[in-house]
Each structure stands twice: as structure tokens, then as C-alpha cells.
């Protein structure tokens, strides 16, 4: 009888410890990637890291004039067979988006545009014509583009349809770290305080 009770307790303990994680959802299961841009899906198109690149020169002037702003993104065609093509991007309030380069997106491949801040690419890698980035420029945006705001850009595709992406402005240029030596504070006089 005693052996049966010990065996039953052992089985209950084993089942209890193995079921601790059953049905739980990990904290990282639904987290989005740590990138500055937005993302969206339409048809076979997956848009990732969609953003307006912070101007490198005369940023105040560029924002005041409503452009020109470089638009950066990666669009992947997840269809294993059908090719697609980006036919255009529509901006709000009379803004114009021009696209220079090949906008075909072959099955299983990606279309890249722009170079966001912090993009690291090996200097010695040679790119083929198919891998070269398209140049996408937004002009005449008025006050619709500003740091901290998003600008709705509508991406239109030949087969997958269209989708509007609320597009943020990139974080801006990297700041050079300036280390300054701080003087240590003089110790407080023991007899001057109100303790």
C-alpha cells in the first residue's frame, strides 16, 4: 500500500512539473522587430521597415519645404511562383512620390529602397543589377512630414492591390558621443548642514 502511494505521488509530481509551461505564450512571441520603420502586408507583399529618412543636410530647411525626403523600405514577395510590381506610391495633401529604378518584385525576392540611418553593409560586397536599391523621393509634402508624426503613404501593386502605411520619420542622424570630465563635488561640511 505504501509503495502504491509513493508511486502515485511520484506520477502526480512528474505530471505537475511538466504541465507548468503548457498553454503559456512566451513574452517574445508577438513582439515586433526593433526597427524604426513600420510594417504591413497586402496580398503576397510584405512591407518592412517603411520610413522616411531623416535629412542628412539642412534638415530644418527640408522639413520647412516639405521635402525632398528619401523613403526607405524592404518589400518581399512571399509568393513562390508569381512576380509582382510596385506601380506607385501615393502621398497625402498633394505630395508627390517619384520612384527611380526597377520596381519588379520577383517571386521569393525583395525590392529595397533608400538607406535608413544605421544601415550597415559590407563595403566589399558587389551588388547585381537585381539587388540595387530603388530611389524613392517624397516632395511637396507640406507639413505632413515631421519627426514624431507618421505620414500615410499608399503603396500600389500590380497584383496584390494597395495598402496605406503610416510611415514614421527615421530617428535622425547619429550624434557623436562627447565624453566630458566632470569635477567631483566638494564634500559637504559636516557642521554646515541642518541635520
Amino acid at each position: 500500500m505504501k509503495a502504491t502511494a509513493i508511486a502515485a505521488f511520484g506520477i502526480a509530481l512528474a505530471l505537475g512539473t511538466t504541465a507548468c509551461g503548457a498553454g503559456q505564450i512566451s513574452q517574445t512571441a508577438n513582439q515586433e522587430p526593433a526597427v524604426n520603420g513600420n510594417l504591413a502586408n497586402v496580398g503576397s507583399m510584405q512591407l518592412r521597415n517603411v520610413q522616411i529618412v531623416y535629412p542628412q543636410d539642412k534638415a530644418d530647411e527640408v522639413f520647412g519645404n516639405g521635402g525632398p525626403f528619401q523613403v526607405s523600405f524592404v518589400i518581399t514577395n512571399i509568393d513562390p511562383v508569381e512576380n509582382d510590381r510596385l506601380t506607385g506610391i501615393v502621398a497625402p495633401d498633394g505630395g508627390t512620390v517619384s520612384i527611380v529604378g526597377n520596381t519588379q518584385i520577383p517571386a521569393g525576392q525583395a525590392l529595397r529602397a533608400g538607406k535608413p540611418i544605421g544601415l550597415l553593409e559590407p563595403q566589399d560586397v558587389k551588388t547585381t543589377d537585381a539587388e540595387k536599391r530603388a530611389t524613392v523621393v517624397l516632395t511637396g509634402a507640406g507639413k505632413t512630414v515631421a519627426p514624431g508624426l507618421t505620414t500615410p503613404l499608399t503603396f500600389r501593386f500590380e497584383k496584390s492591390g494597395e495598402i496605406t502605411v503610416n510611415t514614421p520619420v527615421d530617428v535622425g542622424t547619429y550624434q557623436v558621443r562627447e565624453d566630458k570630465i566632470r569635477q567631483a563635488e566638494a564634500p559637504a561640511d559636516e557642521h554646515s548642514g541642518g541635520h
Side-chain angles (χ1 to χ4, degrees):
M1 187 77 163
K2 192 174 192 181
T4 307
I6 292 173
F9 177 74
I11 291 172
L13 182 64
L15 289 175
T17 58
T18 58
C20 282
Q24 298 294 317
I25 299 173
S26 77
Q27 291 179 352
T28 59
N30 296 318
Q31 286 184 343
E32 300 297 347
V35 295
N36 297 323
N38 206 344
L39 56 84
N41 299 316
V42 59
S44 299
M45 301 294 103
Q46 292 185 336
L47 293 80
R48 298 294 182 263
N49 205 13
V50 181
Q51 60 187 303
I52 296 169
V53 178
Y54 194 93
Q56 295 292 315
D57 298 313
K58 301 179 181 177
D60 291 341
E61 185 178 316
V62 174
F63 280 108
N65 293 333
F69 296 102
Q70 185 183 49
V71 180
S72 178
F73 55 78
V74 177
I75 302 174
T76 304
N77 182 353
I78 61 169
D79 193 295
V81 178
E82 292 288 328
N83 297 339
D84 208 335
R85 184 171 69 89
L86 177 64
T87 59
I89 302 172
V90 179
D93 296 336
T96 304
V97 179
S98 63
I99 304 172
V100 176
N102 186 2
T103 60
Q104 291 290 332
I105 312 171
Q109 294 187 32
L111 168 66
R112 290 172 173 77
K115 290 188 179 181
I117 300 296
L119 177 68
L120 301 176
E121 291 183 321
Q123 299 297 321
D124 57 348
V125 175
K126 295 180 181 176
T127 58
T128 64
D129 287 341
E131 294 170 331
K132 287 184 179 174
R133 292 176 184 271
T135 301
V136 179
V137 177
L138 168 62
T139 55
K143 301 295 181 189
T144 63
V145 177
L149 300 179
T150 59
T151 303
L153 297 178
T154 301
F155 289 73
R156 292 182 174 164
F157 298 94
E158 193 171 70
K159 296 178 182 174
S160 294
E162 67 179 47
I163 189 160
T164 300
V165 182
N166 289 323
T167 308
V169 176
D170 194 5
V171 293
T173 57
Y174 281 129
Q175 301 296 318
V176 176
R177 180 177 171 170
E178 295 180 16
D179 291 328
K180 294 182 181 179
I181 298 173
R182 295 188 298 171
Q183 297 295 329
E185 292 181 17
D189 185 3
E190 294 179 10
H191 301 292
S192 65
H195 294 286

